[in-house]
Amino acid sequence: GLAKKFSSSTPKSEWLEKATSQHVNIDIDSNSDTARQMIMINLQEEDVKLLKAIQPLITQHIDEITASFYQTVLDVKVLEQIIKNNSTVERLKLTLRNHLIEMFSGNIDSEFIEKRLKIAKVHQAIGLEPKWYMGAFQNLQNALFDVVDRNINNHKESLRISKVISKLLNFEQQLVLE
Ligand code: HEM
């Protein structure tokens, strides 16, 4: 009947539903700048749950995301040189792969913060300038949004998820560029 027709033509909010049952761990001192930074960009527990809910989607498409990331980085001569001098593309792809999947793990605690501080130091040590770091983040966001856009049919839901990814990447940038 009509009800059935309606429900089949209206995509369900399956990811938002999945998000509600996720277990996340947000353990940040409420009297810290980090907590204030999260409040400032409105990064909430329900967002972290949604990020964890889409982690399998990110994992499924991780090769595509890291490949496009490194393609655009290697197109910049100075960055190609930094990588050649300090690492290999294969090693970095693996590093980024693990890092990205972990970003969607639902854990935001002191270990998460300390890890970002260490990453910042590593990049500083190899002479990676913030402008290139920022560019790399935008590229990463483009790739993640592409995956969401192609795989999440419900338009409202894909927009909501893209917004949450944007918050996560901004938070990450705040921590590494401090
Ligand atoms: C190291 C992530 C941008 C080059 C790392 C590490 C992580 C990481 C997690 C490992 C740090 C550690 O040892 O604890 C990211 C993210 C980026 C980014 C999330 C931006 C969204 C770049 C760019 C370059 C680059 C644009 C280009 C030169 C390197 C190099 C290392 C490194 C050479 C050292 C790797 C090694 O020790 O083998 N990065 N990175 N990164 N990154 Fe990046």
Side-chain angles (χ1 to χ4, degrees):
L2 200 58
K4 195 174 175 206
K5 210 171 176 180
F6 181 73
S7 71
S8 67
S9 64
T10 307
K12 276 188 293 184
S13 295
E14 58 163 313
W15 298 96
L16 293 179
E17 244 164 64
K18 263 185 200 143
T20 58
S21 60
Q22 300 296 323
H23 294 282
V24 298
N25 167 42
I26 303 171
D27 188 7
I28 298 293
D29 176 5
S30 61
N31 194 27
S32 64
D33 271 356
T34 308
R36 291 182 195 103
Q37 284 165 274
M38 289 178 74
I39 291 167
M40 188 181 194
I41 62 170
N42 197 24
L43 179 59
Q44 300 187 19
E45 182 173 340
E46 60 178 47
D47 297 326
V48 180
K49 285 186 172 187
L50 185 52
L51 290 168
K52 190 173 178 185
I54 63 158
Q55 191 192 41
L57 187 69
I58 303 303
T59 306
Q60 202 185 326
H61 296 275
I62 198 70
D63 288 340
E64 165 194 338
I65 296 164
T66 54
S68 92
F69 178 90
Y70 280 107
Q71 191 46 57
T72 51
V73 167
L74 291 173
D75 281 345
V76 181
K77 275 275 165 294
V78 55
L79 300 181
E80 185 188 21
Q81 204 51 52
I82 290 178
I83 292 174
K84 277 191 180 156
N85 293 345
N86 297 281
S87 186
T88 66
V89 174
E90 279 323 300
R91 199 165 110 188
L92 277 181
K93 268 191 183 159
L94 205 65
T95 304
L96 184 70
R97 180 198 167 89
N98 294 333
H99 182 76
L100 278 175
I101 293 171
E102 224 181 81
M103 275 169 66
F104 290 82
S105 69
N107 276 312
I108 299 185
D109 52 14
S110 59
E111 197 188 315
F112 181 96
I113 307 299
E114 276 154 30
K115 208 169 163 197
R116 267 78 198 154
L117 297 180
K118 191 191 160 216
I119 294 168
K121 278 188 193 142
V122 169
H123 286 136
Q124 207 168 18
I126 61 172
L128 178 63
E129 291 178 79
K131 64 182 176 193
W132 300 119
Y133 211 170
M134 298 281 292
F137 265 107
Q138 183 58 46
N139 175 263
L140 201 53
Q141 178 163 291
N142 294 347
L144 289 165
F145 282 9
D146 272 352
V147 168
V148 170
D149 189 36
R150 275 189 282 111
N151 294 282
I152 297 175
N153 296 326
N154 182 328
H155 183 65
K156 262 192 134 167
E157 211 172 25
S158 75
L159 188 60
R160 165 100 171 82
I161 289 169
S162 294
K163 274 179 157 180
V164 175
I165 290 174
S166 152
K167 287 188 203 176
L168 176 70
L169 292 180
N170 181 275
F171 182 53
E172 175 105 7
Q173 286 171 69
Q174 291 181 37
L175 296 173
V176 292
L177 292 175
E178 192 177 283

